[in-house]
Amino acid sequence: MISKICGNGILRVVAMIVLYGTVVNGQNARDVVKGNLIQFNDNGAWCWYQDERAVVDKARGRLIVGSDASDNGVGGSPRNGDIDAVIFDLQNRQAERYALMEGGTNFGGCDDHHAPAFLVMPDGRYLAFYAGHNSNNNSYWRFFYTDRWGIEHAFNWNNIPGGTDFRTTYSNLFYLAAEDKLYNIARTYARSPNLMVSTDSGQNWSYGGLLTEPDVSIGYVNGYFKYWSSGVDRIDFVATEHHPRDYNTSIYHGYMKNGQSFKSDGTLLDSDITDKTAPKPADFTLVFGANTRVNGDLMSRCWAIDLAAYDDGTIATIFKARVNDDPNHPSNDPDHAFFYARYDGATWTSTYLGKAGKKMYSSEQDYVGLGALHPNDPEVIFISTPFDPRDDAALGVREILKGVTADHGATWTWTPITQKSVRDNFRPIVPSWDENNTALLWWRGTYLSAQNFDAAVVGIIECNSETVERMHYVDATAANTFLTNGSPLITTGPDANMGAADDRWHERTGFGNGNSVLTSAEVSGENAPVLKTQMIVSEAGTYDVWINFWANPTADWRIKAGLAADRMQLFRQMACKQVEADDHDTALTLTSSGNTFLYQAYLGRVRVAANETLNVYVDDHAIQTGTSGTRIGNTARTWYDGVSYAKVNTAVVSVAEHKKISNEFVLRQNSPNPFKPSTTITYSLPKAAHVTVKVYNLLGREVATLTDQQTPAGTHQVIWNAQSAPSGIYFYKISVGNFSKTKKMILLQ
């Protein structure tokens, strides 16, 4: 049972269940993922009070993902504290990693609070902001220019009027088109959120004011804030009064617009946010109060997790609360629960989602796996939990589950994204994209503290316009696998024994598909040569490509591979998924003795002509995790077992094919956005009506009429060809009787 909290009481509702499971050759599989698991960074994690940690550049087809690296992960101490930006090409599905600040130079090493925030600028550049975890008084930023990040700049908060009394943490980066201003929100003066503002596209920054101030400083800091903005005219936020370990916190909502701050219903609280006086967090609209009872259980010490506002005016948030923890004598290891809350324009209504589990490590009583709202679909959420929300069954580790509601959040249908994982899956995020495309990202591994973890950034990308055929398997043999210079591969073996530590590949029989695998580092550390497996693809088209390797889920087996010799990634079992029955067009051997399973790592996407040769490069990497060069065998071995590829089919898919037409008038975000020189605007009508869609510039002048006619019910599209218009920000507006809606778009000529 789950409970829905209403303004006047609690309504019991039943959670719907979707079953999803898998069996491999009669044995329970491990590390099952629903979708194509992609590794974005082999060493990384993030906190959750910096946004946006990932953004989609729809104009160029890129996904930008930020994280912080640990010396306990891949690469060891040389990567400790690297603040990384990964730019992932959505066409070839390959990643390029950049270090914004190597080794956390100014911050003293690794801390997931150092993860950067990103913004795709109106002119197409990428802006990254990052700060230490109470390390100094600075916020740092860089711009990305075509193929490189520019020089690092710093804003010293001690130079604001009156200076600051607390070191800086977090970056939250937004652009408001109506003001043509950039905002970065950081925790600094008064241990509270402060604003820095730029009116010249980020070249210069000035102090923008104090968003909230405390009634009294209690414990560590004065409030935790999650932010959201559509990029048009306001920034929404949800907040607590203090840190939940120091205070019995509630959740509040407000927003800032035109230099002022407001409650949810538009009540003005601060007429000038540019100074150092401000409302208190508790002055804003109460979303969920501490000491609320749900189904007889006492909820206390809440913490905000995610926030989003939608086209229909709905605002939603996910938060967590302690369960049955004495507010006056709090536990050091309390139970937690997830909640979802939705604002309909008049009232906040909250729904219990399920158990969130215990703390993630000893010194942080309120750290849980967190969750994410889908920013383009108000009916979808994701959570990371060690308990199945369908029946409260213990899952052993934190798994990612997808929730879908058909009744505005009152009930949820749950489907596992990850299942039977060996490592935890933490802190999912979903960057804003569009209704037909979703990127779900999280990090997976072992989390000892914010300063010490062994994790990889992974995720899945779903595109409604794509269908991927079943995979075709190609075994790696002496006939198709060579050294990179074309020389024949001469292995030791073949035999059923482990290969000697001789820096050569060994053909071990009795395992794998084709009854053998190519192995390295089975006994001790080796450095075998790079291999190239070649295959002829008979049919022209676009193909996804994977490398197959065997692994023991309790060890750290791995493989290094890529579609080019200089673009290989290290893939460890913990960041990969097991191959499942029916994935391929022929049956494969998926399990073997010694608790070994066939795993798969995604290499990317290629376009090939008919009968073209496809090359895949493969290497071992017997370097102990957490070191930069210590060789180790056995637990870090490589068992290579061939390549898989699958054809990707793309079709133009209408909104109506993937989502029911709304029973209301709906105006959707244009696509692509930013765009050059044309873009498509989609809208839906529940009934026939006279429709006008017009385009305006920043001054409010009409520049184009895209339609002005009677239109039947259904989903429709209009195209604006802006070839003769200058670059800049434009607004498009639909008018249907008494209904009107306006959205922003960006033209890049």
Side-chain angles (χ1 to χ4, degrees), residues 637-653:
R637 71 178 67 182
T638 295
W639 278 18
Y640 170 41
D641 195 16
V643 175
S644 297
Y645 62 88
K647 190 175 184 183
V648 180
N649 299 308
T650 304
V652 177
V653 180

Side-chain angles (χ1 to χ4, degrees), residues 498-522:
M498 292 191 293
D502 54 9
D503 291 341
R504 297 174 63 188
W505 290 96
H506 176 70
E507 184 178 358
R508 186 168 180 179
T509 58
F511 295 91
N513 293 279
N515 197 41
S516 71
V517 291
L518 295 174
T519 72
S520 175
E522 293 187 277

Side-chain angles (χ1 to χ4, degrees), residues 42-164:
D42 58 15
N43 182 348
W46 50 67
C47 187
W48 72 101
Y49 286 110
Q50 60 274 92
D51 282 308
E52 299 292 334
R53 287 156 287 172
V55 294
V56 175
D57 178 358
K58 289 179 277 190
R60 295 177 177 84
R62 293 172 177 169
L63 171 65
I64 303 95
V65 185
S67 57
D68 194 66
S70 170
D71 61 354
N72 200 36
V74 171
S77 57
R79 287 187 63 185
N80 187 46
D82 280 2
I83 300 174
D84 286 337
V86 167
I87 298 180
F88 182 80
D89 190 307
L90 293 167
Q91 277 70 51
N92 64 30
R93 301 292 171 97
Q94 296 184 59
E96 190 76 35
R97 176 170 56 86
Y98 303 84
L100 297 172
M101 181 183 286
E102 292 185 352
T105 307
N106 298 319
F107 305 149
C110 166
D111 192 317
D112 63 21
H113 295 67
H114 300 164
F118 299 104
L119 180 73
V120 179
M121 299 275 289
D123 61 10
R125 291 179 299 164
Y126 307 153
L127 176 59
F129 256 84
Y130 43 99
H133 186 192
N134 305 323
S135 302
N136 58 31
N137 294 323
N138 292 341
S139 288
Y140 298 87
W141 77 92
R142 293 179 186 267
F143 289 103
F144 185 78
Y145 300 94
T146 309
D147 60 354
R148 62 181 176 83
W149 288 94
I151 62 172
E152 182 179 80
H153 304 270
F155 180 89
N156 188 336
W157 289 92
N158 207 38
N159 293 332
I160 68 175
T164 185

